[in-house]
Amino acid sequence: MQPITQLRATTFVLREDNIDTDQIIPARFLTTTERSGLGRAAFYDWRFAANGAATAHPLNTEAAGHAILVAGNNFGCGSSREHAPWALLDFGFRAVISSEIADIFRSNALKNGLLAIVVDPAAHAFLLAHPRIELRIDLETMTILGPDGWSTRFALDAFARRCLMMGVDQLGYLLAQDEAIAAFESARAA
Amino acid sequence: MTTLFDKVWQQHVVVPETPEAPAVLYIDLHLVHEVTSPQAFSELASRGLKLRRPDRTLATLDHSTPTLPSVNGELPYVTDEAKHQVATLRENAATFGVELLDFGSGQRGIVHVVGPEQGATQPGMTIVCGDSHTSTHGAFGAIAFGIGTSEVGHVLASQCLLQRKPKTMAINVEGQLRPGISAKDVILHIIRTIGVEGGTGYAIEYRGSAIRSLDMDGRMTLCNMSIEAGARCGMVAPDDVTFAYLQNRPRAPKGAAWDAAVARWRALVSDADAKFDRQVHIEAADIAPTVTWGTHPGMGASLSESVPSGDDAQFDKARRYMGWDAGQALVGRPIDVVFIGSCTNGRLSDLRAAANELKGQRVHPRVRMLVVPGSDKVKRDAEAEGLHDVFLAAGAEWREPGCSMCIAMNGDIVAPGQLAVSTSNRNFEGRQGKGARTILASPAVAAASAVAGALSVPNGV
């Protein structure tokens, strides 16, 4: 994963609360054995009618070029499918901001370099009310800077932050614990 | 002072958590299925890594599999891609040395039905799977939670996960459940009470006399839907009901090892003075037959209620999607499809509850009813009792095991605009097929509704 220290991009707003993983990528697209090319399936049932024609949804008409998704409360609830962040990244999003993000989705997103960021309700309300603004998400200071001096702080797990900023390979990190894991296994077997 | 969750957690810490890094947590049992594993196996292959503990890894096929039998020796897969996905797990299992409960094994089924019925799921374990309904296994006093595909790779390669300890929540359901109230009613009532994000960041322990009174199938239904309240993990302390269920299961300990295991498992209870980060109290007598009316599992109501009024934007959107008028009575709404099955309600006792409503009755001519047993074993056991005869005589379809219409990725779908009463776990827009509408309900409510052709109160409630 490429190290990320900051992201400067504009926002696209989906106001709905509880946008679940079946909306982000419907289950019928999960028969793939790959992780690439899933942007096509992102929000598919919002973006395409039953006959396959593109709908007038803002995801089709306004989202292009905006890499920060600002979404309603409890984004990513539902399933553990990592296809959800894969689809969002392939669609062009680099960050998701909400007032609450479901645990498994958030963990999956951060492992793929999709910045899943939870802000306080006041900052969330501001971002929902001001679409298409430029933000700078700074992982070093854990701050989001907006127009006219607007800013807000966010919390991010120290390890997840280090992995994002240093491009730490988490599987490699775990494999480096081999001695401790082997000791744990033999202590239990005894 | 210590909760059940903390006891099991502490027994699995390989490297303790610090402010800078999560704990390295040892995983006792890794369940694998075809949908969320291929990219993880590819990752291992590309790094030249081996599977660390094939003996702690168990795979089956459930999500993409057809529920119709073979035709001329060929299973009717929905697409070539689905067929390829199943073949990929077969190849990966052979390459990496994973035991696969395949077609023809007599042990295949939904991963969360198979683990417990084989006795692979045991108290005090840590259990993960690339599936959010892994919380099901918490019914045995295990820490069990769903993980993403990157983490599937972590466990395959290291048998460990990097995890921060969640907060703990006790949900106490005290008193006696009213006649005919099932575990599904209990969990839909709980999710309605704490909300779809009420459990985010928590591991739940379900406690109290009403929980103790549930059998293992019921406890699995309860823990299964913890994730629908946002909690990755839900648990019930093991007791004699748990031990009686597990004894003599194929993968459970035997002989002296069994006695030693039970002695160890009896210690897996929260201490009397255990501190939880949050406590929720629910009176069992307040729980009525509960269903969902809206488009997430927290939009629930008892069958005697009406669809909520109120101009909340989300409620309004849900009412429009589902085709309800504000204030409309729930009971009596005509339905098109009934689905009995899934990791929530696809076990033998669920099929018995449904058959009990259907005996001597016919499914309403307007309704298509699909009954999908949770596993090969559930199917065999149900047929040994003649339950399939009840379903077939009523005009329902009796299928092969799998996830089927719960996730609707194998071709078993609800048509656009149709309304299903489903014993599954998610009523999100399009969950059961594009444009499909879902009412979540218990097996008894679903079967009674199939007969009436409309959402109905079951007998005996």
Side-chain angles (χ1 to χ4, degrees):
Chain A
M1 201 169 69
Q2 289 299 313
I4 305 167
T5 52
Q6 59 169 251
L7 174 70
R8 184 193 286 266
T10 49
T11 63
F12 173 77
V13 173
L14 288 174
R15 302 188 60 88
E16 288 93 337
D17 290 340
N18 306 309
I19 294 175
D20 59 78
T21 50
D22 279 285
Q23 308 315 309
I24 299 169
I25 178 167
R28 62 185 181 279
F29 295 105
L30 306 187
T31 50
T32 180
T33 54
E34 307 291 327
R35 64 173 80 200
S36 57
L38 291 173
R40 187 183 67 84
F43 295 107
Y44 191 91
D45 287 347
W46 293 8
R47 293 169 52 222
F48 297 97
N51 64 4
T55 64
H57 195 283
L59 278 160
N60 286 328
T61 58
E62 295 171 22
H66 302 298
I68 299 175
L69 174 61
V70 174
N73 189 53
N74 194 31
F75 184 82
C77 59
S79 94
S80 63
R81 61 190 71 161
E82 201 159 316
H83 311 67
W86 294 338
L88 293 175
L89 282 163
D90 194 48
F91 186 77
F93 291 122
R94 293 289 172 270
V96 181
I97 302 176
S98 181
S99 48
E100 177 94 82
I101 298 179
D103 285 335
I104 307 180
F105 174 84
R106 196 172 185 213
S107 160
N108 286 339
L110 293 171
K111 283 185 179 61
N112 288 276
L114 178 69
L115 305 180
I117 290 175
V118 174
V119 295
D120 66 49
H124 188 231
F126 173 85
L127 293 171
L128 286 176
H130 296 84
R132 296 182 297 279
I133 55 173
E134 186 176 88
L135 299 179
R136 198 171 84 211
I137 301 172
D138 190 327
L139 296 184
E140 180 69 50
T141 57
M142 291 192 280
T143 306
I144 303 175
L145 298 168
D148 305 322
W150 182 88
S151 74
T152 188
R153 302 253 308 155
F154 60 88
L156 188 61
D157 175 74
F159 184 75
R161 177 165 163 260
R162 181 154 65 91
C163 290
L164 289 166
M165 293 182 66
M166 315 278 287
V168 174
D169 164 30
Q170 293 197 19
L171 177 52
Y173 176 95
L174 259 174
L175 292 170
Q177 315 287 322
D178 180 64
E179 220 169 284
I181 299 169
F184 179 89
E185 285 178 327
S186 52
R188 280 179 121 205
Chain B
M1 280 292 284
T2 313
T3 63
L4 164 61
F5 181 88
D6 286 347
K7 288 181 185 181
V8 178
W9 180 275
Q10 281 157 17
Q11 287 169 8
H12 293 85
V13 173
V14 176
V15 180
E17 180 173 344
T18 67
E20 289 73 40
V24 176
L25 190 73
Y26 197 78
I27 302 304
D28 291 320
L29 176 63
H30 186 192
L31 299 166
V32 172
H33 64 82
E34 73 276 21
V35 177
T36 56
S37 65
Q39 299 88 349
F41 281 114
S42 301
E43 184 72 25
L44 260 66
S46 74
R47 295 181 186 226
L49 294 170
K50 287 199 301 195
L51 183 60
R52 185 181 179 94
R53 293 297 296 263
D55 58 323
R56 295 189 175 279
T57 312
L58 184 62
T60 193
L61 300 162
D62 53 7
H63 285 66
S64 300
T65 53
T67 56
L68 288 168
S70 298
V71 182
N72 302 325
E74 280 282 317
L75 282 167
Y77 284 96
V78 63
T79 58
D80 287 344
E81 194 177 68
K83 184 179 176 182
H84 176 252
Q85 188 175 59
V86 166
T88 301
L89 181 51
R90 268 187 204 120
E91 284 166 27
N92 284 327
T95 305
F96 289 88
V98 177
E99 184 181 1
L100 174 64
L101 305 179
D102 202 339
F103 286 88
S105 67
Q107 302 174 65
R108 192 188 63 83
I110 305 174
V111 63
H112 310 308
V113 176
V114 163
E117 76 182 9
Q118 292 297 320
T121 297
Q122 293 167 21
M125 281 184 161
T126 46
I127 302 174
V128 297
C129 174
D131 190 290
S132 61
H133 293 109
T134 307
S135 56
T136 311
H137 308 264
F140 292 78
I143 291 180
F145 55 92
I147 56 177
T149 295
S150 294
E151 291 177 317
V152 170
H154 294 180
V155 181
L156 291 174
S158 73
Q159 204 55 37
C160 290
L161 276 177
L162 294 164
Q163 289 290 306
R164 297 263 182 209
K165 191 152 76 73
K167 294 178 283 185
T168 54
M169 183 189 304
I171 297 185
N172 306 283
V173 188
E174 293 291 353
Q176 203 172 352
L177 294 169
R178 285 152 54 183
I181 297 300
S182 72
K184 187 63 164 287
D185 300 303
V186 176
I187 189 62
L188 287 173
H189 181 93
I190 287 172
I191 298 166
R192 180 190 181 188
T193 305
I194 69 171
V196 273
E197 78 289 0
T200 302
Y202 289 92
I204 295 173
E205 183 183 342
Y206 301 97
R207 298 154 59 83
S209 50
I211 304 300
R212 300 252 74 84
S213 75
L214 295 172
D215 64 12
M216 289 314 297
D217 284 5
R219 293 179 191 182
M220 283 188 261
T221 300
L222 186 76
C223 291
N224 172 274
M225 288 189 71
S226 302
I227 186 65
E228 309 315 332
R232 289 178 80 169
C233 170
M235 304 175 88
V236 176
D239 59 12
D240 287 334
V241 176
T242 321
F243 309 143
Y245 175 100
L246 280 174
Q247 193 161 21
N248 300 319
R249 299 261 166 190
R251 290 158 205 261
K254 304 283 186 307
W258 169 260
D259 296 334
V262 170
R264 211 168 55 240
W265 294 340
R266 284 196 190 282
L268 297 174
V269 290
S270 290
D271 297 335
D273 57 354
K275 292 260 185 301
F276 292 87
D277 296 297
R278 187 178 166 199
Q279 293 262 4
V280 175
H281 291 276
I282 288 171
E283 289 297 324
D286 291 343
I287 304 175
T290 302
V291 299
T292 59
W293 62 268
T295 50
H296 69 58
M299 292 177 171
S302 80
L303 279 176
S304 59
E305 291 178 76
S306 303
V307 174
S309 314
D311 52 8
D312 172 277
Q314 212 191 354
F315 274 26
D316 187 51
K317 183 164 179 272
R319 277 193 302 258
R320 272 186 286 118
Y321 184 84
M322 293 294 292
W324 293 108
D325 296 323
Q328 184 178 348
L330 289 169
V331 167
R333 168 90 188 262
I335 62 165
D336 307 295
V337 174
V338 166
F339 172 61
I340 308 276
S342 83
C343 59
T344 310
N345 280 127
R347 298 180 187 80
L348 186 61
S349 61
D350 301 311
L351 302 188
R352 284 178 183 152
N356 195 39
E357 293 292 324
L358 282 176
K359 206 164 280 177
Q361 309 272 351
R362 290 283 303 170
V363 173
H364 190 281
R366 179 172 52 230
V367 174
R368 175 191 182 199
M369 182 173 180
L370 200 65
V371 186
V372 183
S375 69
D376 288 341
K377 177 171 164 51
V378 170
K379 183 164 189 267
R380 274 195 309 276
D381 292 351
E383 289 181 347
E385 292 183 14
L387 300 182
H388 65 309
D389 291 331
V390 175
F391 296 127
L392 290 167
E397 298 174 53
W398 175 244
R399 293 290 188 96
E400 297 298 316
C403 302
S404 182
M405 207 179 256
C406 170
I407 188 161
M409 59 181 289
N410 74 332
D412 296 344
I413 62 166
V414 177
Q418 287 201 330
L419 181 62
V421 178
S422 177
T423 66
S424 53
N425 42 56
R426 290 193 174 131
N427 54 335
F428 299 145
E429 288 183 19
R431 168 77 178 184
Q432 296 190 287
K434 187 179 171 79
R437 297 159 162 170
T438 302
I439 291 173
L440 300 178
S442 70
V445 169
S449 302
V451 172
L455 191 57
S456 289
V457 180
N459 298 315
V461 171

